[in-house]
Amino acid sequence: MELQRKLFILADAAKYDASCASSGSQGRDSLDGKGMGSVTGMGICHSYAPDGRCISLLKILLTNVCIFDCRYCINRKSSNVQRARFTVAEVVQLTLDFYRRNCIEGLFLSSGIIRSSDYTMEQLVEVARRLREEHDFRGYIHLKTIPDAAPELLAQAGRHADRLSINVELPTASGLAQFAPEKDGQRIRQAMQGVDRHVQAWRAATREQRQAQSLPGAPAQRAA
């Protein structure tokens, strides 16, 4: 499948994934040659950086293939949608290409679950790792973590991403049992707690570092 076709499918599939993005606009475009600009429901989303800036993100799924059959999800196993899957290298290159063209300031990446939670999370982490370590990418990265993924994979994701999030799926145990019986609410909560523990540990380490640097005789930080 051509890369452009994959991008069309997996950007459209990602529009249902919560990304802390602005929303509410009606879909408008100028594909008919009339007018200028567009407000589309896929591909580029807008989110907010910690400093309050509104930034544009490439919002895509790694794949819309999924081993689960959650009744509320358009990408469920039994859904009659066209499937596609990016390679890690393709996501990295797309992000760099869009960034160099000044179309985006970062990446939002989620995925259907393929093979296993750990395998899928490994693929997401590898995208972020290559961007940071091999291409010195300093833009914004938001990774959607996968429930049941190993804690060490979440820790690796946190080293490379600016933001991690996880889907609550459904607010009640009865709703989850009815619409997504293959998923375990307790495991989802544990995954969310795991992400929170990593965040709190990072904040504590940051506070300790700042306190140590403020002590008399501590070496001064060099200006960036």
Side-chain angles (χ1 to χ4, degrees):
M1 183 182 292
E2 293 183 356
L3 185 60
Q4 186 172 356
R5 182 60 184 167
K6 288 184 184 181
L7 181 59
F8 179 84
I9 293 170
L10 295 173
D12 184 63
K15 68 186 179 184
Y16 303 102
D17 214 315
S19 61
C20 304
S22 57
S23 61
S25 296
Q26 294 182 345
R28 298 185 298 273
D29 61 55
S30 52
L31 296 177
D32 59 359
K34 299 177 182 179
M36 179 173 61
S38 66
V39 178
T40 60
M42 63 179 190
I44 305 294
C45 75
H46 298 93
S47 190
Y48 293 92
D51 61 4
R53 291 181 303 115
C54 181
I55 56 177
S56 298
L57 305 177
L58 174 63
K59 184 182 181 185
I60 54 176
L61 299 185
L62 182 69
T63 181
N64 63 344
V65 176
C66 192
I67 62 176
F68 291 120
D69 202 30
C70 305
R71 291 170 59 185
Y72 56 82
C73 182
I74 188 65
N75 298 313
R76 63 188 178 274
K77 182 170 59 176
S78 62
S79 181
N80 186 27
V81 296
Q82 187 173 7
R83 306 291 179 172
R85 178 180 173 183
F86 284 127
T87 65
V88 168
E90 286 172 337
V91 176
V92 170
Q93 195 58 52
L94 279 170
T95 304
L96 296 174
D97 287 346
F98 276 107
Y99 193 87
R100 288 170 180 145
R101 294 172 185 171
N102 203 31
C103 296
I104 61 169
E105 295 175 83
L107 170 69
F108 171 90
L109 184 62
S110 185
S111 183
I113 299 177
I114 44 177
R115 297 192 191 179
S116 68
S117 295
D118 280 353
Y119 176 80
T120 306
M121 196 68 224
E122 286 172 359
Q123 300 297 294
L124 299 179
V125 170
E126 181 62 11
V127 169
R129 187 200 68 78
R130 290 192 193 183
L131 283 169
R132 296 297 195 210
E133 296 183 358
E134 297 181 11
H135 298 279
D136 197 23
F137 180 74
R138 303 187 185 189
Y140 188 87
I141 298 178
H142 180 168
L143 293 182
K144 183 70 72 171
T145 62
I146 306 299
D148 291 344
E152 55 267 27
L153 290 172
L154 298 181
Q156 291 175 32
R159 284 195 287 270
H160 301 300
D162 297 280
R163 175 177 287 170
L164 300 179
S165 62
I166 188 168
N167 287 335
V168 177
E169 305 296 349
L170 287 168
T172 65
S174 59
L176 193 66
Q178 180 179 359
F179 294 105
E182 298 168 293
K183 293 188 175 179
D184 187 322
Q186 180 61 28
R187 290 182 180 177
I188 294 172
R189 287 190 291 272
Q190 289 173 347
M192 295 175 70
Q193 291 166 358
V195 172
D196 183 64
R197 283 195 297 271
H198 285 298
V199 171
Q200 298 305 324
W202 176 84
R203 287 176 176 171
T206 301
R207 283 195 298 269
E208 290 178 3
Q209 183 180 21
R210 288 175 178 171
Q211 290 170 356
Q213 290 170 347
S214 66
L215 294 174
Q221 282 188 304
R222 296 177 60 184

PDB file of all heavy atoms in Angstrom, residues 154 166 186-199:
ATOM      1  N   LEU A 154       6.708   1.547  29.769  1.00  0.00           N
ATOM      2  CA  LEU A 154       6.151   2.861  30.105  1.00  0.00           C
ATOM      3  C   LEU A 154       7.254   3.812  30.545  1.00  0.00           C
ATOM      4  O   LEU A 154       7.238   5.002  30.217  1.00  0.00           O
ATOM      5  CB  LEU A 154       5.097   2.722  31.201  1.00  0.00           C
ATOM      6  CG  LEU A 154       3.862   1.888  30.863  1.00  0.00           C
ATOM      7  CD1 LEU A 154       2.903   1.867  32.042  1.00  0.00           C
ATOM      8  CD2 LEU A 154       3.168   2.413  29.617  1.00  0.00           C
ATOM      9  N   ILE A 166      -3.490   7.557  28.665  1.00  0.00           N
ATOM     10  CA  ILE A 166      -4.073   6.225  28.499  1.00  0.00           C
ATOM     11  C   ILE A 166      -5.584   6.375  28.449  1.00  0.00           C
ATOM     12  O   ILE A 166      -6.156   7.233  29.128  1.00  0.00           O
ATOM     13  CB  ILE A 166      -3.644   5.294  29.657  1.00  0.00           C
ATOM     14  CG1 ILE A 166      -4.086   3.859  29.388  1.00  0.00           C
ATOM     15  CG2 ILE A 166      -4.163   5.781  30.988  1.00  0.00           C
ATOM     16  CD1 ILE A 166      -3.453   2.860  30.337  1.00  0.00           C
ATOM     17  N   GLN A 186      -9.669  -3.294  36.014  1.00  0.00           N
ATOM     18  CA  GLN A 186      -8.644  -3.207  37.042  1.00  0.00           C
ATOM     19  C   GLN A 186      -7.263  -3.012  36.424  1.00  0.00           C
ATOM     20  O   GLN A 186      -6.449  -2.223  36.913  1.00  0.00           O
ATOM     21  CB  GLN A 186      -8.659  -4.469  37.911  1.00  0.00           C
ATOM     22  CG  GLN A 186      -7.626  -4.481  39.024  1.00  0.00           C
ATOM     23  CD  GLN A 186      -7.821  -3.348  40.021  1.00  0.00           C
ATOM     24  OE1 GLN A 186      -8.939  -2.864  40.213  1.00  0.00           O
ATOM     25  NE2 GLN A 186      -6.745  -2.910  40.645  1.00  0.00           N
ATOM     26  N   ARG A 187      -6.996  -3.705  35.338  1.00  0.00           N
ATOM     27  CA  ARG A 187      -5.702  -3.557  34.667  1.00  0.00           C
ATOM     28  C   ARG A 187      -5.547  -2.166  34.067  1.00  0.00           C
ATOM     29  O   ARG A 187      -4.454  -1.599  34.074  1.00  0.00           O
ATOM     30  CB  ARG A 187      -5.557  -4.620  33.579  1.00  0.00           C
ATOM     31  CG  ARG A 187      -5.387  -6.036  34.118  1.00  0.00           C
ATOM     32  CD  ARG A 187      -5.209  -7.029  32.992  1.00  0.00           C
ATOM     33  NE  ARG A 187      -5.035  -8.386  33.493  1.00  0.00           N
ATOM     34  CZ  ARG A 187      -4.913  -9.458  32.722  1.00  0.00           C
ATOM     35  NH1 ARG A 187      -4.961  -9.319  31.399  1.00  0.00           N
ATOM     36  NH2 ARG A 187      -4.753 -10.650  33.253  1.00  0.00           N
ATOM     37  N   ILE A 188      -6.636  -1.623  33.546  1.00  0.00           N
ATOM     38  CA  ILE A 188      -6.575  -0.266  32.997  1.00  0.00           C
ATOM     39  C   ILE A 188      -6.252   0.735  34.104  1.00  0.00           C
ATOM     40  O   ILE A 188      -5.409   1.621  33.942  1.00  0.00           O
ATOM     41  CB  ILE A 188      -7.901   0.098  32.304  1.00  0.00           C
ATOM     42  CG1 ILE A 188      -8.099  -0.782  31.064  1.00  0.00           C
ATOM     43  CG2 ILE A 188      -7.915   1.577  31.910  1.00  0.00           C
ATOM     44  CD1 ILE A 188      -9.457  -0.635  30.422  1.00  0.00           C
ATOM     45  N   ARG A 189      -6.909   0.575  35.261  1.00  0.00           N
ATOM     46  CA  ARG A 189      -6.625   1.468  36.393  1.00  0.00           C
ATOM     47  C   ARG A 189      -5.182   1.313  36.863  1.00  0.00           C
ATOM     48  O   ARG A 189      -4.514   2.297  37.202  1.00  0.00           O
ATOM     49  CB  ARG A 189      -7.604   1.195  37.534  1.00  0.00           C
ATOM     50  CG  ARG A 189      -9.014   1.704  37.275  1.00  0.00           C
ATOM     51  CD  ARG A 189      -9.867   1.625  38.525  1.00  0.00           C
ATOM     52  NE  ARG A 189     -10.152   0.245  38.885  1.00  0.00           N
ATOM     53  CZ  ARG A 189     -11.181  -0.451  38.414  1.00  0.00           C
ATOM     54  NH1 ARG A 189     -12.013   0.106  37.555  1.00  0.00           N
ATOM     55  NH2 ARG A 189     -11.388  -1.695  38.799  1.00  0.00           N
ATOM     56  N   GLN A 190      -4.696   0.077  36.892  1.00  0.00           N
ATOM     57  CA  GLN A 190      -3.313  -0.156  37.303  1.00  0.00           C
ATOM     58  C   GLN A 190      -2.338   0.505  36.333  1.00  0.00           C
ATOM     59  O   GLN A 190      -1.313   1.059  36.749  1.00  0.00           O
ATOM     60  CB  GLN A 190      -3.042  -1.659  37.394  1.00  0.00           C
ATOM     61  CG  GLN A 190      -3.725  -2.335  38.565  1.00  0.00           C
ATOM     62  CD  GLN A 190      -3.572  -3.846  38.542  1.00  0.00           C
ATOM     63  OE1 GLN A 190      -3.157  -4.429  37.531  1.00  0.00           O
ATOM     64  NE2 GLN A 190      -3.912  -4.497  39.644  1.00  0.00           N
ATOM     65  N   ALA A 191      -2.666   0.450  35.044  1.00  0.00           N
ATOM     66  CA  ALA A 191      -1.808   1.097  34.054  1.00  0.00           C
ATOM     67  C   ALA A 191      -1.784   2.606  34.259  1.00  0.00           C
ATOM     68  O   ALA A 191      -0.730   3.250  34.178  1.00  0.00           O
ATOM     69  CB  ALA A 191      -2.293   0.760  32.645  1.00  0.00           C
ATOM     70  N   MET A 192      -2.951   3.191  34.539  1.00  0.00           N
ATOM     71  CA  MET A 192      -3.016   4.627  34.797  1.00  0.00           C
ATOM     72  C   MET A 192      -2.228   4.991  36.051  1.00  0.00           C
ATOM     73  O   MET A 192      -1.519   6.005  36.088  1.00  0.00           O
ATOM     74  CB  MET A 192      -4.476   5.060  34.939  1.00  0.00           C
ATOM     75  CG  MET A 192      -5.292   4.892  33.666  1.00  0.00           C
ATOM     76  SD  MET A 192      -7.035   5.284  33.885  1.00  0.00           S
ATOM     77  CE  MET A 192      -6.961   7.051  34.091  1.00  0.00           C
ATOM     78  N   GLN A 193      -2.333   4.154  37.076  1.00  0.00           N
ATOM     79  CA  GLN A 193      -1.579   4.397  38.303  1.00  0.00           C
ATOM     80  C   GLN A 193      -0.081   4.289  38.052  1.00  0.00           C
ATOM     81  O   GLN A 193       0.717   5.034  38.634  1.00  0.00           O
ATOM     82  CB  GLN A 193      -2.016   3.403  39.379  1.00  0.00           C
ATOM     83  CG  GLN A 193      -3.433   3.642  39.889  1.00  0.00           C
ATOM     84  CD  GLN A 193      -3.976   2.478  40.694  1.00  0.00           C
ATOM     85  OE1 GLN A 193      -3.305   1.447  40.848  1.00  0.00           O
ATOM     86  NE2 GLN A 193      -5.187   2.621  41.214  1.00  0.00           N
ATOM     87  N   GLY A 194       0.300   3.357  37.162  1.00  0.00           N
ATOM     88  CA  GLY A 194       1.714   3.214  36.833  1.00  0.00           C
ATOM     89  C   GLY A 194       2.269   4.454  36.164  1.00  0.00           C
ATOM     90  O   GLY A 194       3.372   4.916  36.481  1.00  0.00           O
ATOM     91  N   VAL A 195       1.504   5.012  35.225  1.00  0.00           N
ATOM     92  CA  VAL A 195       1.925   6.255  34.574  1.00  0.00           C
ATOM     93  C   VAL A 195       2.048   7.368  35.603  1.00  0.00           C
ATOM     94  O   VAL A 195       3.017   8.137  35.610  1.00  0.00           O
ATOM     95  CB  VAL A 195       0.925   6.651  33.464  1.00  0.00           C
ATOM     96  CG1 VAL A 195       1.244   8.042  32.928  1.00  0.00           C
ATOM     97  CG2 VAL A 195       0.963   5.638  32.328  1.00  0.00           C
ATOM     98  N   ASP A 196       1.068   7.448  36.515  1.00  0.00           N
ATOM     99  CA  ASP A 196       1.099   8.492  37.545  1.00  0.00           C
ATOM    100  C   ASP A 196       2.317   8.340  38.450  1.00  0.00           C
ATOM    101  O   ASP A 196       2.949   9.338  38.826  1.00  0.00           O
ATOM    102  CB  ASP A 196      -0.183   8.435  38.374  1.00  0.00           C
ATOM    103  CG  ASP A 196      -0.237   9.546  39.413  1.00  0.00           C
ATOM    104  OD1 ASP A 196      -0.269  10.725  39.024  1.00  0.00           O
ATOM    105  OD2 ASP A 196      -0.234   9.231  40.620  1.00  0.00           O
ATOM    106  N   ARG A 197       2.680   7.103  38.795  1.00  0.00           N
ATOM    107  CA  ARG A 197       3.865   6.890  39.640  1.00  0.00           C
ATOM    108  C   ARG A 197       5.125   7.392  38.951  1.00  0.00           C
ATOM    109  O   ARG A 197       5.993   8.002  39.585  1.00  0.00           O
ATOM    110  CB  ARG A 197       4.001   5.405  39.995  1.00  0.00           C
ATOM    111  CG  ARG A 197       3.041   4.935  41.075  1.00  0.00           C
ATOM    112  CD  ARG A 197       3.462   3.583  41.621  1.00  0.00           C
ATOM    113  NE  ARG A 197       3.414   2.552  40.599  1.00  0.00           N
ATOM    114  CZ  ARG A 197       2.333   1.821  40.337  1.00  0.00           C
ATOM    115  NH1 ARG A 197       1.216   2.017  41.020  1.00  0.00           N
ATOM    116  NH2 ARG A 197       2.365   0.884  39.405  1.00  0.00           N
ATOM    117  N   HIS A 198       5.234   7.134  37.653  1.00  0.00           N
ATOM    118  CA  HIS A 198       6.405   7.611  36.912  1.00  0.00           C
ATOM    119  C   HIS A 198       6.447   9.140  36.898  1.00  0.00           C
ATOM    120  O   HIS A 198       7.515   9.750  37.036  1.00  0.00           O
ATOM    121  CB  HIS A 198       6.373   7.077  35.478  1.00  0.00           C
ATOM    122  CG  HIS A 198       6.734   5.627  35.364  1.00  0.00           C
ATOM    123  ND1 HIS A 198       7.971   5.127  35.720  1.00  0.00           N
ATOM    124  CD2 HIS A 198       6.017   4.563  34.934  1.00  0.00           C
ATOM    125  CE1 HIS A 198       7.997   3.825  35.514  1.00  0.00           C
ATOM    126  NE2 HIS A 198       6.821   3.459  35.037  1.00  0.00           N
ATOM    127  N   VAL A 199       5.276   9.759  36.729  1.00  0.00           N
ATOM    128  CA  VAL A 199       5.213  11.225  36.720  1.00  0.00           C
ATOM    129  C   VAL A 199       5.638  11.787  38.073  1.00  0.00           C
ATOM    130  O   VAL A 199       6.435  12.734  38.154  1.00  0.00           O
ATOM    131  CB  VAL A 199       3.789  11.697  36.361  1.00  0.00           C
ATOM    132  CG1 VAL A 199       3.658  13.206  36.574  1.00  0.00           C
ATOM    133  CG2 VAL A 199       3.451  11.346  34.920  1.00  0.00           C
TER     134      VAL A 199
END
